[in-house]
Amino acid sequence: MVRANGAVSLRELARVVQTSEVTVRRDVRALEAEGLLDRRHGGAVLPGGFTRESGFPQKSHLATAEKTAIADLAAGFVEEGEAVVVGAGTTTQELARRLARVPGLTVVTNSLLVAQALAHANRVEVVMTGGTLRGSNYALVGSGAEQSLQGLRVSRAFLSGSGLTAERGLSTSNMLSASVDRALVQAAAEVVVLADHTKLGSDTMFQTVPTDVITRLVTDEPPAHDDRALTELQALADQGVQIAVAGPGAGSGPVGGGEGGGSAGRQSGRLGASQGRGGGEEGLPLPGPRRNHPHPPGGPGSAQLRTAVPLAEQQPGRVADLAPRRR
């Protein structure tokens, strides 16, 4: 099943073989030890970092709780009346469902699923790119999509991908998708990457957003034993990426409609103010903001904490206290 689909969920495996997820998880662990597949949260994928992209049905069942929490938190960074671009993906689809509650919003997207999630929102204008439909992820790609983005300028781009590393940034397994994502990035003043912890440290074929262009990463808290993800988060912070860590109930307050752009925006602003903006007690530099990007909605100090509290001790839905390490 993994070879046929690129990825599979434990729930689906248990249903097909008519056994418990506990049994399936044990067998998947044994197959990983033999090098036949790689485990991911809630499922398994083909071994190696440069795997082919799995289809939407498979991806939609992986890390669903994490994607929901990430979308809740990310929606709080969007202000009433903004214009944003939202790329294709299962996590951005979750984000779109929450953006439907932000009045006066304009969303530019190449994703049919994002557009569908916003189709019945009363005060949200949806602008779709042109292009050729790519059925595996219901996205418009190709030269038509890229040309329709020329001359466009919005405040933020929200993107997801197949992998994220500090060395290479965001990447995906499909060349056409990567090309459109790069065009979406060119249209935005800030770039917000939505990626659950299973994508941290994974690298795929086509780079979409280099690390020095990423303004903020919204992710979930990796398990304490996931050293690769934790190391990658610190490395991203060292390069100036602002890290926002989502958890259960994150961003569950009202979205948009006020100063700071909703609950997450207001929260990050308060945190930034309480921790200080001057680089901390030893004058160490803060992680961000990115070059040539305006400050995020919480004010100049928003999401720029430097007290370096271990990630495992962070409260869910708060901006992580990741500071650059001293060289």
Side-chain angles (χ1 to χ4, degrees):
M1 287 178 66
V2 173
R3 285 171 178 165
N5 300 317
V8 69
S9 70
L10 294 180
R11 182 181 304 171
E12 178 66 9
L13 282 173
R15 185 189 66 79
V16 170
V17 301
Q18 297 183 341
T19 187
S20 69
E21 288 190 32
V22 173
T23 300
V24 169
R25 187 175 293 108
R26 182 185 63 223
D27 292 343
V28 165
R29 190 179 296 116
L31 290 169
E32 183 183 46
E34 297 178 23
L36 298 176
L37 49 77
D38 285 345
R39 284 185 298 158
R40 291 291 184 268
H41 186 83
V45 299
L46 288 172
F50 298 94
T51 59
R52 72 177 180 89
E53 185 180 31
S54 55
F56 177 83
Q58 290 75 39
K59 292 191 289 186
S60 63
H61 294 297
L62 297 177
T64 53
E66 290 82 352
K67 292 173 182 176
T68 298
I70 289 168
D72 283 340
L73 184 56
F77 293 114
V78 180
E79 297 182 355
E80 179 178 342
E82 268 195 273
V84 300
V85 296
V86 179
T90 53
T91 312
T92 52
Q93 181 189 23
E94 288 295 325
L95 171 65
R97 293 183 177 127
R98 287 142 184 85
L99 294 183
R101 304 191 297 267
V102 183
L105 188 66
T106 300
V107 176
V108 181
T109 185
N110 69 318
S111 168
L112 297 186
L113 297 174
V114 168
Q116 182 183 42
L118 294 166
H120 300 292
N122 289 330
R123 291 185 287 174
V124 177
E125 182 179 0
V126 180
V127 179
M128 294 206 67
T129 68
T132 303
L133 177 63
R134 184 167 178 259
S136 61
N137 65 345
Y138 304 96
L140 297 170
V141 297
S143 59
E146 296 169 38
Q147 289 172 10
S148 66
L149 293 165
Q150 292 179 4
L152 181 71
R153 193 62 173 170
V154 299
S155 57
R156 291 182 183 85
F158 292 90
L159 299 175
S160 60
S162 303
L164 177 65
T165 65
E167 178 181 0
R168 197 156 170 257
L170 190 67
S171 61
T172 188
S173 303
N174 182 265
M175 180 173 63
L176 293 175
S177 295
S179 186
V180 174
D181 281 352
R182 286 192 288 268
L184 291 172
V185 167
Q186 291 296 318
E190 293 184 11
V191 177
V192 181
V193 170
L194 312 182
D196 64 78
H197 72 270
T198 64
K199 297 176 182 178
L200 298 177
S202 296
D203 198 4
T204 50
M205 287 185 69
F206 300 99
Q207 182 193 57
T208 56
V209 190
T211 306
D212 62 357
V213 176
I214 299 173
T215 310
R216 177 183 284 114
L217 165 65
V218 184
T219 187
D220 63 296
E221 184 172 350
H225 58 79
D226 193 344
D227 293 336
R228 182 178 72 167
L230 291 167
T231 300
E232 209 65 52
L233 274 181
Q234 182 62 62
L236 287 162
D238 288 347
Q239 296 198 35
V241 177
Q242 301 168 19
I243 311 293
V245 180
S252 56
V255 177
E259 242 179 271
S263 57
R266 288 192 295 273
Q267 184 183 50
S268 65
R270 289 198 303 271
L271 290 169
S274 65
Q275 295 289 342
R277 302 184 179 94
E281 58 270 20
E282 296 181 16
L284 298 180
L286 294 172
R290 311 303 307 147
R291 289 193 300 271
N292 300 324
H293 293 307
H295 291 297
S302 174
Q304 298 180 24
L305 314 183
R306 69 132 327 281
T307 50
V309 176
L311 193 64
E313 299 176 14
Q314 293 299 315
Q315 295 298 316
R318 297 182 62 177
V319 179
D321 296 333
L322 290 175
R325 291 196 182 98
R326 301 189 71 174
R327 303 299 184 190

